[in-house]
Amino acid sequence: IHARQEDIMKAINAVFKKSLTCNGQTDLAHTCLEVAQELVGATFGFFGEVNSEGTFDTLATSGAGWDECKKLPSEATTVITGMEIGGMQFLPLTDGMSRIFSDPASHPNRVSSPKGHPRITSLLAVPLKYDGSIIGQIGLGNKQGGYNASDQEAIEALSVAIVEALMHKRAEEKLRASETRLVEAQQIAHLGNWDWDIASNQLQWSDEMYRIFGVELPDFGGTHEAFLNAVHPEDSEYVKQSVNGALCDKATYNIEHRILLPDGQVRIVHEKGRVTYSNSGEPARMVGTTQDITERELAQQNLRESEERYNTLFSSVREYLYSVQIQAGQAKPVLHSPSCERITGYRPEEYFA
């Protein structure tokens, strides 16, 4: 008994240890299946879950079990994806009870195997449970001499570790996907975020912040002073006063200023931030975002300059120029040149009356 418990603990440790280096949940599923097979001496096995449609999706099958199958192991996974839950092999999914089938061929709920599938001489089927619900199953086949209660208890104990490892891996993948989407969104919007621990004076930047400021991680000091050194000298005092106002007077930190990149390029950024305070009322942390608005500001500047040039030319023409919009059958003046009264004898509002 002691040796069996030791084997189970080794298997559980192997699942958790190998899960750290598995590349995604599919890789983890194959690893868990291999550990389970080794624990009870199974020849082949499968590992899968119940999908949102209520059918069974295989996450892993063992290649050794498909040596006799006419399809490759990689294709076998496709064959048993979206399976209807029925037959003896899926009984644990219906009531949450593990099963040992010592003579599968004579079982009343036996379902014929796919053509070329290895003949099943014995089967151990154990449900996978999470948060009180049945989420999947692991099946292990063809142990020499058949399975016993000790094998069932071992896989039931291992199944807890398998589910925890799988859920942790999925949480990791979800977090990585979320972080990837955040990075992509920040790149598209030229928007970075920062976190300043005021007591330790440690300033953390997102990846996009480094791109905005044109520096690499090793070249950034990671302090508030390092940030101030990147602010355009003519805007430095304004930024300092704005930060102090947010820290000491709880003023809103929502400013635009210029930064000076290492290559001499000047960029314009919009920053927003908020301060959190300690129980004693001292500023403890300041977090916020920085967005590169250089292109927007340049576009607005170009528009203003274009409008000024247009208005200058429009005002200098001797002819009377105007444009109107037709609304509800009425002409509404949009713009007109200053020569209206000189040429028509009417002011614009009189001319269109």
Side-chain angles (χ1 to χ4, degrees):
I1 296 176
H2 177 74
R4 188 57 162 172
Q5 290 178 339
E6 186 174 330
D7 289 340
I8 294 173
M9 289 307 301
K10 287 181 179 178
I12 291 173
N13 289 335
V15 165
F16 286 132
K17 183 177 180 180
K18 292 180 179 181
S19 69
L20 298 176
T21 56
C22 285
N23 185 24
Q25 62 176 330
T26 301
D27 188 20
L28 175 61
H30 281 90
T31 297
C32 291
L33 185 57
E34 290 172 1
V35 172
Q37 286 181 214
E38 184 178 353
L39 179 60
V40 296
T43 303
F44 69 89
F46 66 91
F47 171 23
E49 64 181 345
V50 180
N51 60 33
S52 59
E53 302 297 324
T55 57
F56 188 80
D57 285 344
T58 300
L59 297 177
T61 57
S62 56
W66 293 85
D67 287 343
E68 300 174 28
C69 189
K70 292 183 178 179
K71 292 184 176 292
L72 296 173
S74 59
E75 296 174 335
T77 302
T78 304
V79 172
I80 53 178
T81 295
M83 293 182 67
E84 294 295 329
I85 295 176
M88 67 171 190
Q89 68 269 36
F90 289 136
L91 284 176
L93 292 177
T94 62
D95 59 11
M97 303 293 292
S98 301
R99 298 286 200 289
I100 293 176
F101 302 100
S102 299
D103 187 14
S106 63
H107 195 279
N109 294 109
R110 176 182 178 274
V111 176
S112 59
S113 302
K115 183 179 180 180
H117 190 285
R119 187 173 69 90
I120 301 176
T121 58
S122 60
L123 179 67
L124 170 58
V126 175
L128 302 176
K129 301 177 182 180
Y130 182 72
D131 198 23
S133 300
I134 302 170
I135 64 168
Q137 178 179 309
I138 185 169
L140 302 167
N142 293 9
K143 175 186 177 181
Q144 188 174 3
Y147 298 98
N148 54 41
S150 177
D151 294 326
Q152 178 178 319
E153 291 173 1
I155 298 302
E156 287 175 343
L158 182 63
S159 71
V160 177
I162 289 175
V163 170
E164 287 299 324
L166 180 63
M167 292 303 172
H168 182 70
K169 183 61 67 176
R170 285 181 172 170
E172 285 182 344
E173 291 182 344
K174 186 176 181 180
L175 177 59
R176 279 197 296 270
S178 176
E179 290 174 342
T180 299
R181 289 193 297 270
L182 176 60
V183 170
E184 291 174 347
Q186 289 190 347
Q187 289 177 346
I188 293 171
H190 299 294
L191 178 71
N193 64 283
W194 43 269
D195 188 334
W196 178 29
D197 185 316
I198 299 170
S200 65
N201 194 25
Q202 292 297 305
L203 179 60
Q204 295 183 347
W205 278 0
S206 69
D207 291 344
E208 187 61 20
M209 288 292 292
Y210 292 98
R211 282 186 280 270
I212 292 173
F213 281 77
V215 297
E216 299 290 338
L217 176 60
D219 301 324
F220 177 60
T223 64
H224 182 59
E225 289 72 26
F227 155 70
L228 290 175
N229 288 336
V231 174
H232 193 284
E234 295 179 6
D235 294 347
S236 180
E237 190 60 32
Y238 166 63
V239 173
K240 290 178 183 178
Q241 291 177 359
S242 299
V243 172
N244 289 336
L247 297 179
C248 303
D249 303 328
K250 298 185 179 181
T252 300
Y253 186 74
N254 187 354
I255 66 173
E256 294 180 5
H257 65 87
R258 292 168 294 175
I259 58 175
L260 188 61
L261 274 57
D263 62 3
Q265 183 182 174
V266 176
R267 307 291 291 178
I268 306 170
V269 297
H270 175 215
E271 293 192 326
K272 297 178 67 175
R274 61 179 176 83
V275 181
T276 56
Y277 297 85
S278 65
N279 293 333
S280 62
E282 294 295 320
R285 184 168 169 238
M286 187 173 183
V287 297
T289 60
T290 298
Q291 184 173 23
D292 186 345
I293 60 172
T294 306
E295 279 69 29
R296 186 189 76 186
E297 289 298 304
L298 290 177
Q300 290 178 348
Q301 180 180 340
N302 291 335
L303 178 60
R304 287 192 296 268
E305 292 175 352
S306 175
E307 288 177 343
E308 289 174 1
R309 291 193 299 269
Y310 179 80
N311 290 333
T312 299
L313 291 172
F314 191 72
S315 301
S316 65
V317 296
R318 297 183 58 81
E319 293 80 5
Y320 176 40
L321 303 177
Y322 65 89
S323 66
V324 298
Q325 285 183 343
I326 306 299
Q327 295 182 349
Q330 298 294 321
K332 181 180 179 180
V334 177
L335 58 84
H336 50 80
S337 63
S339 56
C340 175
E341 189 171 357
R342 176 177 59 80
I343 294 176
T344 67
Y346 295 96
R347 294 191 300 274
E349 59 271 21
E350 297 173 332
Y351 185 73
F352 286 98

